[in-house]
Amino acid sequence: MSVARPQFQDFWRRLSRLDLVAFVLFVAGSLAMISSFAGGVASFAKYLGVLAGIYLVVRVIAWGRSRLLWSLRNRLIVAYLFIAVVPILLIMTFVVLAGNFLYSQLGAYLLYEDLHRRIEMMTDIGQHIAAAHEFIPKGITQEDSERILAAESRNVHDGELPGLTIDFSNNVSELQRLLEESKTPNRSYFSGLLQQGGTLSMVSMRLLGDTQNRRMVRLRVQMTPALLATVAPDLGAIQLNLTEPYTGGKPTGVIYSTGNAATGELKYQTIRPIVAKDRALQPAGFWLEPSVNVVSRLEDAAYITANGSVGKPNPVFAVFSARPTRLSARMFSTLGELRDFYLLLFTVFAVVFLLIWIAAFITGVVLTRQITKAIADLYHATQYVQSGDLTHRVRIERRDQLGVLAESFNLMTGSISGLIEEQKKRQRLENEISIAREVQSQLFPHVLPKVPGVDIQAICKAARSVSGDYYDFIQLSPTHIAIALADISGKGISAALLMASLQAALRSQLLTAGSETTSTAELVARLNRHLVRNTGDDRFATFFIAVYDSASRTLRYTNAGHLPSFLISRDGAMHLSKGGMVLGVLEDCCYDEEMVHVADNSILVAYSDGLVEPEHVYGEEFGIKRLQQAAVYVQASPPKVVAESLMTAAEEWAGTPEQADDMTVIVARLN
């Protein structure tokens, strides 16, 4: 009860409102069906009940399918049924249908062949009579000769043609009409089935004598139940159905349709069946042997109406039954003694095939159990892991792929603790990087200096969490401002730490009294010695610093291995490249200072290599020349617009938002 109740609750939760409504309608419709109520309301309730029942059946099938196929074992069993069992059933069904078709055709052939053989026999008799009729001995009248020929033929063939009648006549019109109807007017004989009223006969008519004295011999055997009983002894019960065209109205018998869309469909109705006397289906050769029931169309029977005229031939339909074993015995009778050998060989192959199928079925079941057991063990192990127990291990019973999977699962659970610890360390590192990014953001200037005639803006986009580029604006006096830009070697935290060291050294040099008159070359030399003494040999930085005096409109600068900044005025662009080598390599390195006079409304553009190194799809860099052209194009715009335009131009050239290096640009308008 404790197990069934949760299952019922789960089933009840899965029911929708539509399911409940369908169930109520089904119950109401069922009550209306078993009750004696009648009328429109009851009929409508029954109709809704049927629809609701169909809906509930579909829902139950879907629910049962989901429950059945949830288990991997059931899925494998269903897959095996579709892969192994269903094809065999389809093949067996095909074999049964093909065998039924084959035996039907064989039975129809035996029936047709027996009737056709007797008709050919009658044709041969007529031919012999015609040959003998040409050489009548002297002293014997024609009538006596014909009577003797007829008696001899009946005596010889009475066993196979019981009831054979042979008539001679001078009236050959009937034969001529039959030949014309069969579209063979030049022939001298007619043989086949002949329907006259409600009788069916095998007939053979042949012309005798020359064209002056035409006579006709007619051989006729009426199709009777006794004669039909001797036809095709390997078949069971036989019935021949005579037909006539169906012209409408109430049919007198079974309706048969013949023809097709091209020739037009014709309908015939049966008028008289001829049932073989004392013919029944043979006993089954084994307990599971079926019977073959066939409806076959024989050749069309010539039709003579009541007034003696020849009408359109009517089909004759044969209905018979047979046993496959009798037909097989007839079919393989020509093998003689080899028949038993082939039968034994077929039986051996059938038994071997059955044994192989049974072995395959057992193997499939065993493999299915092994696979599902391994999957079930893994499933239970995941439940332990889900509950937090990382000490559980799957037992490995075999060294196949499932065993390797179980071993991999054990290794995975064994390394989960290490992964969790590593994740904790990574989280701590990410927290440290976040702190470093926050600290680095404090190193950049947040308040722009207020120097008359100077409007300055800067943009820095880091390639990683922290940037290796450094820029700074330091107001040295009311009319002096220092602009610095550095590119630290490397990326990430190490570059950020070196950037912090460089920023501290720079500000310690510039935030002293009289720093506005200090040579930029001397300042750069001091920073170089600081980096050489306090960093490793593999750490360096490119550096650019400029001091602008708005009163005298002079700009002093030193470029320590950095990309040349350019000063754009109405007269053109000037590259600021004078200085020396990068910082942090040689301690006793000398640097130069250059002073330039700044024209009115000029702009200073300083940048890092990340702004000129982006490549497009063909591998060509953006370059300093294109950056300068972009700056000249927007030189009349405010510094912020110029900086954003330069960033956009470099990104559009690369065609991708991903950055390979830090990108920094400083734009200062010097009025």
Side-chain angles (χ1 to χ4, degrees):
M1 182 66 181
S2 59
V3 178
R5 185 173 181 180
Q7 294 181 352
F8 177 77
Q9 292 177 350
D10 180 67
F11 175 76
W12 182 261
R13 284 195 300 269
R14 291 176 179 270
L15 292 179
S16 63
R17 293 183 178 179
L18 183 60
D19 297 336
L20 297 177
V21 172
F23 180 75
V24 172
L25 293 177
F26 175 73
V27 172
S30 301
L31 294 176
M33 289 180 184
I34 63 177
S35 65
S36 58
F37 293 107
V41 177
S43 300
F44 186 67
K46 295 176 183 179
Y47 173 72
L48 292 180
V50 171
L51 295 180
I54 295 174
Y55 170 79
L56 292 176
V57 168
V58 173
R59 287 284 293 165
V60 169
I61 292 175
W63 177 80
R65 175 181 174 275
S66 62
R67 297 280 296 181
L68 175 66
L69 298 182
W70 183 88
S71 171
L72 178 62
R73 176 175 299 176
N74 294 340
R75 283 179 177 265
L76 290 176
I77 292 174
V78 172
Y80 181 74
L81 290 176
F82 277 100
I83 293 174
V85 178
V86 172
I88 292 178
L89 294 178
L90 293 176
I91 292 174
M92 293 177 62
T93 303
F94 177 77
V95 169
V96 170
L97 294 176
N100 185 73
F101 174 76
L102 175 64
Y103 287 121
S104 299
Q105 294 300 311
L106 178 58
Y109 171 77
L110 292 177
L111 178 60
Y112 172 81
E113 183 65 20
D114 199 335
L115 293 176
H116 190 67
R117 181 180 60 83
R118 297 174 189 241
I119 294 174
E120 287 185 346
M121 186 182 299
M122 296 171 62
T123 303
D124 293 339
I125 295 172
Q127 186 177 2
H128 290 311
I129 291 176
H133 194 273
E134 294 181 0
F135 303 97
I136 300 176
K138 295 181 178 181
I140 300 178
T141 63
Q142 182 175 333
E143 290 76 8
D144 292 338
S145 175
E146 292 174 350
R147 185 173 61 255
I148 293 172
L149 291 174
E152 289 178 351
S153 299
R154 282 193 298 268
N155 291 334
V156 173
H157 300 92
D158 186 62
E160 298 211 44
L161 299 173
L164 174 63
T165 61
I166 302 176
D167 301 323
F168 295 87
S169 173
N170 292 324
N171 186 5
V172 298
S173 59
E174 182 180 358
L175 175 58
Q176 291 176 346
R177 289 195 298 270
L178 289 174
L179 293 176
E180 291 174 357
E181 179 65 27
S182 61
K183 296 183 174 56
T184 57
N186 296 326
R187 288 173 56 179
S188 61
Y189 69 92
F190 169 83
S191 297
L193 297 177
L194 179 65
Q195 179 184 345
Q196 190 169 11
T199 62
L200 180 68
S201 304
M202 295 183 293
V203 298
S204 178
M205 302 179 184
R206 183 176 290 272
L207 293 173
L208 302 176
D210 52 19
T211 56
Q212 300 297 327
N213 300 310
R214 282 292 189 185
R215 284 180 65 79
M216 178 188 72
V217 59
R218 179 173 65 180
L219 293 83
R220 178 175 179 270
V221 177
Q222 184 176 350
M223 192 65 66
T224 61
L227 174 63
L228 195 58
T230 64
V231 175
D234 294 308
L235 304 181
I238 303 176
Q239 175 179 318
L240 298 182
N241 291 329
L242 308 183
T243 63
E244 65 179 6
Y246 174 68
T247 57
K250 184 178 181 181
T252 59
V254 180
I255 302 296
Y256 292 99
S257 297
T258 63
N260 50 46
T263 60
E265 185 181 23
L266 300 177
K267 293 185 178 181
Y268 295 89
Q269 62 180 351
T270 59
I271 56 174
R272 177 175 173 265
I274 303 174
V275 182
K277 183 178 181 181
D278 298 331
R279 288 283 291 265
L281 183 64
Q282 302 92 338
F286 54 95
W287 66 276
L288 200 59
E289 182 184 18
S291 62
V292 178
N293 300 308
V294 185
V295 177
S296 177
R297 175 175 173 173
L298 301 180
E299 64 180 19
D300 292 349
Y303 182 69
I304 297 180
T305 62
N307 57 9
S309 62
V310 178
K312 186 177 181 181
N314 295 330
V316 178
F317 293 94
V319 181
F320 61 88
S321 59
R323 290 290 185 184
T325 53
R326 292 292 298 270
L327 297 176
S328 299
R330 176 63 182 273
M331 183 166 46
F332 295 106
S333 61
T334 56
L335 295 176
E337 296 180 355
L338 293 177
R339 180 181 61 184
D340 296 335
F341 170 75
Y342 285 122
L343 180 61
L344 177 62
L345 185 63
F346 176 78
T347 304
V348 170
F349 274 108
V351 172
V352 171
F353 177 80
L354 180 61
L355 293 177
I356 293 175
W357 183 82
I358 293 174
F361 184 81
I362 295 175
T363 303
V365 172
V366 172
L367 291 177
T368 299
R369 291 183 62 85
Q370 291 178 354
I371 294 173
T372 55
K373 184 177 182 302
I375 298 300
D377 292 341
L378 288 173
Y379 173 75
H380 292 307
T382 58
Q383 299 299 310
Y384 282 100
V385 174
Q386 184 178 1
S387 63
D389 183 7
L390 302 179
T391 61
H392 181 77
R393 295 293 181 269
V394 179
R395 186 173 62 179
I396 302 175
E397 299 180 352
R398 60 188 65 85
R399 302 305 303 176
D400 54 6
Q401 190 174 17
L402 291 174
V404 174
L405 178 62
E407 184 178 2
S408 300
F409 182 85
N410 292 336
L411 294 175
M412 180 190 68
T413 55
S415 61
I416 286 180
S417 298
L419 293 176
I420 292 176
E421 185 64 27
E422 183 179 350
Q423 178 64 25
K424 291 180 179 179
K425 292 180 180 180
R426 183 177 299 175
Q427 187 65 38
R428 287 195 296 268
L429 180 60
E430 290 179 356
N431 293 337
E432 292 174 358
I433 293 176
S434 177
I435 294 173
R437 183 169 59 250
E438 184 178 352
V439 172
Q440 187 186 47
S441 65
Q442 301 299 322
L443 300 178
F444 291 109
H446 295 280
V447 179
L448 298 178
K450 297 181 180 179
V451 177
V454 178
D455 186 6
I456 190 167
Q457 289 290 337
I459 299 176
C460 179
K461 290 185 178 181
R464 296 184 181 178
S465 299
V466 290
S467 173
D469 287 353
Y470 164 64
Y471 70 89
D472 207 350
F473 313 131
I474 304 173
Q475 186 169 357
L476 307 179
S477 71
T479 61
H480 288 79
I481 181 173
I483 302 173
L485 177 62
D487 187 356
I488 312 299
S489 63
K491 300 177 181 65
I493 295 179
S494 61
L497 294 176
L498 184 58
M499 166 188 165
S501 176
L502 181 63
Q503 190 253 16
L506 176 64
R507 284 186 172 257
S508 65
Q509 295 291 330
L510 291 180
L511 295 179
T512 58
S515 59
E516 67 273 9
T517 60
T518 302
S519 170
T520 56
E522 177 64 23
L523 178 63
V524 172
R526 295 174 187 174
L527 293 178
N528 178 58
R529 287 192 295 271
H530 170 76
L531 292 182
V532 170
R533 295 174 182 178
N534 295 283
T535 60
D537 295 338
D538 59 337
R539 311 301 295 174
F540 62 89
T542 63
F543 186 70
F544 172 81
I545 185 168
V547 177
Y548 176 65
D549 183 6
S550 61
S552 61
R553 302 191 63 79
T554 58
L555 179 72
R556 296 181 291 113
Y557 77 92
T558 298
N559 189 333
H562 199 78
L563 294 176
S565 303
F566 39 84
L567 184 65
I568 302 175
S569 63
R570 289 187 297 272
D571 299 331
M574 175 182 180
H575 285 199
L576 309 179
S577 57
K578 191 175 184 62
M581 67 180 302
V582 297
L583 306 182
V585 178
L586 298 176
E587 182 175 354
D588 297 329
C589 184
C590 297
Y591 295 91
D592 298 326
E593 179 187 68
E594 183 177 16
M595 179 183 295
V596 297
H597 181 74
V598 179
D600 188 28
N601 199 25
S602 299
I603 61 172
L604 173 67
V605 178
Y607 53 92
S608 64
D609 56 356
L611 196 64
V612 296
E613 291 179 351
E615 298 179 352
H616 61 21
V617 293
Y618 299 105
E620 185 180 359
E621 290 185 350
F622 183 55
I624 298 176
K625 184 177 181 180
R626 291 186 179 87
L627 180 67
Q628 179 180 325
Q629 291 175 351
V632 171
Y633 184 75
V634 294
Q635 63 176 329
S637 303
K640 182 177 181 181
V641 175
V642 175
E644 292 175 350
S645 299
L646 297 181
M647 281 287 184
T648 302
E651 291 175 351
E652 291 179 351
W653 178 264
T656 174
E658 297 181 1
Q659 295 179 220
D661 198 359
D662 302 325
M663 300 172 63
T664 304
V665 62
I666 300 174
V667 178
R669 182 170 296 281
L670 308 177
N671 294 320

